[in-house]
Amino acid sequence: MKPETTTPESSSSNEFYMSDRDFEQISRLASEHTGIVLGPHKRNMVYGRIARRIRSLGLSSFSAYLAYLEQHSREEMSNFINAITTNLTSLFREPHHFHYLQDQLLPELRQLNAGTKKLRIWSAGCSIGQEAYSIAMTIKRAGFPSDWDIKILATDLDSNVLETGHQGIYPADHAAQLDAALRKQFFLLSADKKSVQVVPELRKMVSFKRLNLLEKWPMKGPFDLIFCRNVVIYFNKDTQRVLFDRFANHLRVDGRLFIGHSENLAGVSDRFKPLGQTIYRKVN
Ligand SMILES: C[S@@+](CC[C@H](N)C(=O)[O-])C[C@H]1O[C@@H](n2cnc3c(N)ncnc32)[C@H](O)[C@@H]1O
């Protein structure tokens, strides 16, 4: 998982030459293919991330890498995209969302969907899956009857993080802060105690799929809730406007949208009503 950082990652900034033009080209490609805006303050981060690709391909400069990317776009574009994304996440990140889910929303949905006995949830920009598994744990703990059909879709455009999510294997310290009972119920500790794996019961609830939010979405919805947290912060306002309109189209009326702590919908979408703490209700 790649956290956000502005210092070169495990490389010396003199190792390969990156001109202003190289950086601009990388920013343009990132924006076109992912929506991610790489401003000048991201230059060191970009240097470190792309330097790794240059090294592993045995190339000698950023311009050589960009030429390679152009010629081998089919093979290299996904590595480029995987390098550019920031995947910072954690279990029960922004815990107030899970308290709201547990105390208010799940009891409400249990009544509302009693006829269909279905729940559909989307974790959009799921990174290594810890958001989706946190939702799954909250649902399990709420004790829905076993005949309910509950599915969580977890999507991201970075293929590496999806693989980790699918395996549900994390360093043991990722689960260390969890309540002991929760850890015991939902994680298996490896023999060497260095990693944990999410129990099959929870993994069965989550489907991991590659999806670029800028492209066509194959699923129709409607979802009862959508989590898209700490994703649009990297996009410009125009991209955000289009995206939140599409999210509204994929949520049922009254469905809830959860966004990240430094994101908000003011001036971006009037199809949601804020409920506080970056939780929104779809109104039209
Ligand atoms: C910082 S992580 C957030 C993870 C999680 N939602 C959370 O809040 O903990 C942002 C994720 O958005 C994904 N992402 C960025 N641009 C995307 C796009 N255009 N389509 C789909 N996912 C994207 C990245 O790959 C990354 O895994």
Side-chain angles (χ1 to χ4, degrees):
M1 173 171 76
K2 299 180 298 318
E4 182 82 46
T5 167
T6 51
T7 50
E9 293 173 5
S10 62
S11 69
S12 142
S13 47
N14 298 322
E15 187 182 358
F16 305 113
Y17 178 65
M18 178 170 74
S19 68
D20 289 349
R21 205 158 151 251
D22 296 335
F23 178 67
E24 277 157 23
Q25 199 174 337
I26 290 170
S27 302
R28 186 180 49 73
L29 286 170
S31 156
E32 272 172 24
H33 289 267
T34 70
I36 296 171
V37 177
L38 296 170
H41 62 295
K42 297 282 170 76
R43 200 174 161 122
N44 283 345
M45 184 197 85
V46 166
Y47 181 93
R49 304 254 185 103
I50 300 297
R52 274 194 216 152
R53 287 305 306 148
I54 298 178
R55 226 174 283 128
S56 74
L57 289 165
L59 300 171
S60 58
S61 68
F62 275 72
S63 59
Y65 177 72
L66 286 164
Y68 179 90
L69 182 57
E70 198 179 333
Q71 282 155 20
H72 301 85
S73 165
R74 276 172 70 120
E75 304 91 320
E76 184 56 20
M77 189 49 80
S78 64
N79 292 321
F80 172 78
I81 289 173
N82 291 356
I84 287 303
T85 56
T86 293
N87 316 112
L88 184 72
T89 190
S90 57
L91 290 161
F92 295 101
R93 181 182 197 183
E94 301 179 31
H96 51 275
H97 285 164
F98 300 96
H99 295 150
Y100 174 80
L101 197 57
Q102 177 184 302
D103 300 339
Q104 291 191 44
L105 191 51
L106 290 178
E108 189 184 313
L109 286 168
R110 199 165 167 154
Q111 291 204 338
L112 198 72
N113 293 6
T116 61
K117 297 186 176 176
K118 259 166 83 168
L119 269 188
R120 291 292 179 264
I121 297 162
W122 181 13
S123 165
C126 64
S127 184
I128 56 175
Q130 297 190 345
E131 179 175 275
Y133 289 130
S134 303
I135 300 168
M137 284 186 265
T138 310
I139 292 172
K140 276 285 169 202
R141 290 225 129 181
F144 277 76
S146 58
D147 59 345
W148 273 62
D149 169 17
I150 302 177
K151 291 198 171 88
I152 302 168
L153 172 68
T155 65
D156 204 287
L157 91 170
D158 179 332
S159 51
N160 292 335
V161 291
L162 289 170
E163 185 50 35
T164 305
H166 183 68
Q167 304 282 331
I169 300 177
Y170 307 114
D173 64 339
H174 285 201
Q177 305 305 319
L178 298 185
D179 168 81
L182 206 69
R183 214 167 45 228
K184 189 159 175 249
Q185 186 178 359
F186 296 119
F187 294 90
L188 305 165
L189 189 61
S190 64
D192 64 6
K193 298 191 168 34
K194 287 190 177 150
S195 61
V196 289
Q197 182 167 32
V198 176
V199 294
E201 182 196 13
L202 225 53
R203 282 171 40 223
K204 266 193 286 187
M205 291 171 70
V206 185
S207 307
F208 287 91
K209 300 268 187 266
R210 187 172 187 277
L211 179 75
N212 186 339
L213 291 169
L214 300 193
E215 293 173 0
K216 206 163 172 274
W217 300 349
M219 65 284 184
K220 289 200 175 63
F223 292 94
D224 296 294
L225 38 150
I226 296 178
F227 278 64
C228 184
R229 308 185 309 163
N230 309 298
V231 178
V232 305
I233 190 176
Y234 303 105
F235 298 170
N236 66 29
K237 289 283 174 202
D238 284 343
T239 308
Q240 292 187 20
R241 277 186 197 102
V242 174
L243 192 57
F244 284 113
D245 203 45
R246 295 176 79 194
F247 280 140
N249 293 340
H250 279 70
L251 258 180
R252 65 167 176 72
V253 174
D254 273 347
R256 305 296 196 279
L257 173 74
F258 297 77
I259 62 175
H261 59 285
S262 48
E263 298 160 341
N264 77 78
L265 298 190
V268 171
S269 175
D270 57 8
R271 299 186 65 188
F272 298 91
K273 181 178 179 293
L275 300 177
Q277 296 201 303
T278 54
I279 304 167
Y280 291 80
R281 185 166 66 83
K282 174 185 153 169
V283 286
N284 65 66

